[in-house]
């Protein structure tokens, strides 16, 4: 993409997503993703009902009456976006391609994080870690992230969600809120890696998919290409049996994905390319409030 065209697109995305995060998501984001850590604040005299495990024995001994430690919530979060950049993102049949919707969602979340004084980082992944942007604050950092979201070109086309989750677990030492943004078209089982990652971090799954992926249109012979492997095959979409088999495959895959999220206790939302992702994200935030 030419520099002038890229800058225009960055600016367009910036204006839209900054406005959304400021005017719509500010309160909901803060409520849904509170800081989970607790920092020592002060000591005060023991009061009836206080947890005896919070007694500060050194201060108690000094004043010969019980004192307890008081903690306050650490508001600052580290937010990490795990962004799937595999070949299947280059697909869309209604309004936008999946990768365009992913870009807008990621940018909106990034601005929401910055406005809440959180650090934001990004892990771009295919079947390997394509790029890691360490968590930082600031507008320049956000604009850099948006530019990469728009113009990043992966080396590989296939998907390995487990690898991305293992990288998150190992690379980010402090507990973070991690948004896993993908279409979740992965031939591998990622449940174990998701379970482990969600024990250390607060993982939230956001699926972006296209309506045409859910069922085949009745248009006769069509050539289908796997965007991740390059494999092509002709499919007779006029056959009801073929269309039913495809629909059953999609429904089964979705059920397996949703079951994995439930088993791993991961909050999730599924967003079609034609949907209003603002409403979907607000629903997700509402579930966590």
């Amino acid at each position: 993409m030419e520099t002038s065209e890229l800058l225009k697109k960055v600016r367009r995305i910036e204006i839209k997503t900054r406005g959304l995060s400021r005017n719509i998501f500010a309160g909901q984001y803060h409520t849904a993703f509170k800081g989970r850590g607790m920092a020592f604040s002060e000591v005060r005299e023991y009061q009836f009902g206080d947890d005896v495990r919070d007694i500060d024995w050194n201060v108690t001994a000094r004043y010969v009456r019980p004192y307890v430690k008081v903690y306050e919530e650490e508001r600052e979060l580290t937010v990490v976006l795990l962004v799937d950049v595999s070949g299947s993102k280059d697909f869309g049949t209604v309004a936008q391609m999946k990768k365009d919707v992913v870009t807008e969602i990621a940018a909106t979340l990034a601005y929401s994080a910055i406005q809440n004084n959180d650090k934001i980082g990004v892990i771009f992944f295919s079947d390997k870690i394509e790029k890691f942007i360490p968590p930082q604050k600031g507008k320049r950092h956000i604009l850099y992230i948006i530019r990469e979201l728009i113009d990043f070109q992966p080396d590989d086309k296939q998907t390995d969600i487990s690898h991305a989750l293992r990288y998150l677990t190992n690379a980010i030492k402090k507990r973070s809120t991690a948004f896993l943004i993908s279409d979740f078209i992965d031939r591998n089982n990622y449940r174990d890696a998701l379970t482990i990652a969600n024990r250390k971090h607060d993982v939230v799954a956001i699926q972006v998919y296209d309506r045409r992926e859910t069922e085949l249109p009745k248009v006769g012979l069509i050539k289908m290409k796997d965007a991740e492997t390059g494999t092509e095959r002709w499919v007779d979409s006029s056959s009801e049996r073929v269309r039913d088999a495809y629909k059953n495959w999609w429904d089964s895959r979705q059920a397996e994905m949703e079951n994995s999220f439930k088993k791993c206790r991961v909050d999730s939302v599924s967003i079609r390319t034609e949907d209003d992702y603002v409403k979907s994200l607000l629903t997700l935030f509402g579930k966590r409030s």
Side-chain angles (χ1 to χ4, degrees):
M1 188 180 296
E2 293 184 2
T3 302
S4 59
E5 183 185 351
L6 174 60
L7 290 175
K8 287 179 183 178
K9 196 163 185 178
V10 168
R11 182 62 176 160
R12 193 161 58 245
I13 294 290
E14 178 200 4
I15 291 171
K16 179 176 181 179
T17 57
R18 182 179 60 188
L20 286 173
S21 60
R22 178 179 297 164
N23 301 323
I24 300 175
F25 293 126
Q28 287 85 347
Y29 173 92
H30 179 91
T31 302
F33 303 102
K34 298 183 181 75
R36 298 297 180 90
M38 302 299 289
F40 171 73
S41 176
E42 60 181 353
V43 294
R44 61 165 172 75
E45 281 197 60
Y46 177 86
Q47 298 174 3
F48 179 76
D50 285 340
D51 192 331
V52 295
R53 291 173 295 183
D54 291 334
I55 292 177
D56 187 320
W57 294 106
N58 290 329
V59 178
T60 296
R62 189 181 311 151
Y63 291 98
V64 201
R65 56 182 183 271
Y67 276 76
V68 294
K69 296 178 181 178
V70 178
Y71 297 87
E72 62 181 13
E73 187 179 62
E74 289 182 312
R75 178 52 220 133
E76 181 181 293
L77 287 176
T78 297
V79 177
V80 182
L81 306 177
L82 287 86
V83 180
D84 182 350
V85 291
S86 61
S88 59
K89 298 302 154 308
D90 296 321
F91 183 80
T93 62
V94 183
Q96 299 185 89
M97 288 196 292
K98 287 188 284 185
K99 68 177 182 181
D100 296 326
V101 179
V102 166
T103 294
E104 289 196 16
I105 291 172
T108 301
L109 292 171
Y111 267 112
S112 297
I114 288 294
Q115 287 173 12
N116 279 271
N117 202 37
D118 298 335
K119 293 180 180 179
I120 181 79
V122 184
I123 298 171
F124 293 98
F125 72 94
S126 55
D127 59 350
K128 70 176 187 179
I129 303 304
E130 297 278 353
K131 187 180 183 72
F132 173 48
I133 302 176
Q136 293 183 34
K137 297 181 182 181
K139 182 178 178 180
R140 288 183 62 185
H141 183 62
I142 286 288
L143 292 177
Y144 171 57
I145 287 174
I146 293 175
R147 189 171 71 243
E148 290 298 298
L149 285 167
I150 292 171
D151 203 40
F152 186 79
Q153 298 298 319
D155 291 332
D156 291 356
K157 295 291 187 182
Q158 298 190 48
T159 306
D160 190 338
I161 294 172
S162 292
H163 185 60
L165 290 167
R166 287 193 295 268
Y167 186 87
L168 168 73
T169 302
N170 295 327
I172 306 298
K173 302 304 180 185
K174 182 180 178 182
R175 180 176 175 84
S176 71
T177 295
F179 293 96
L180 175 56
I181 311 174
S182 173
D183 56 13
F184 292 89
I185 297 177
D186 189 344
R187 294 170 177 80
N188 306 303
N189 189 318
Y190 49 81
R191 184 180 292 184
D192 289 346
L194 184 58
T195 299
I196 294 169
N198 199 45
R199 284 175 185 159
K200 182 177 181 181
H201 303 286
D202 178 16
V203 180
V204 180
I206 300 176
Q207 183 197 28
V208 177
Y209 69 99
D210 190 87
R211 177 174 57 182
R212 187 52 65 208
E213 292 176 308
T214 68
E215 58 186 5
L216 289 177
K218 187 178 179 181
V219 293
L221 278 176
I222 53 175
K223 183 190 285 187
M224 300 183 67
K225 180 178 180 179
D226 188 321
E228 299 196 359
T229 65
T231 304
E232 295 182 346
R233 62 181 299 183
W234 286 95
V235 175
D236 183 8
S237 65
S238 62
S239 167
E240 184 176 355
R241 182 179 59 82
V242 170
R243 294 197 308 275
D244 288 346
Y246 183 89
K247 184 69 166 58
N248 290 336
W249 167 81
W250 172 265
D251 290 345
S252 175
R253 200 186 69 82
Q254 285 293 101
E256 184 178 352
M257 179 194 72
E258 291 167 5
N259 187 52
S260 292
F261 295 155
K262 185 177 180 180
K263 293 278 187 181
C264 300
R265 298 184 178 181
V266 167
D267 290 327
S268 66
V269 64
S270 293
I271 302 172
R272 294 193 305 184
T273 53
E274 66 198 274
D275 287 345
D276 180 355
Y277 65 83
V278 172
K279 291 182 180 178
S280 298
L281 291 179
L282 286 174
T283 299
L284 172 66
F285 292 178
K287 288 193 300 186
R288 297 174 55 91
S289 299

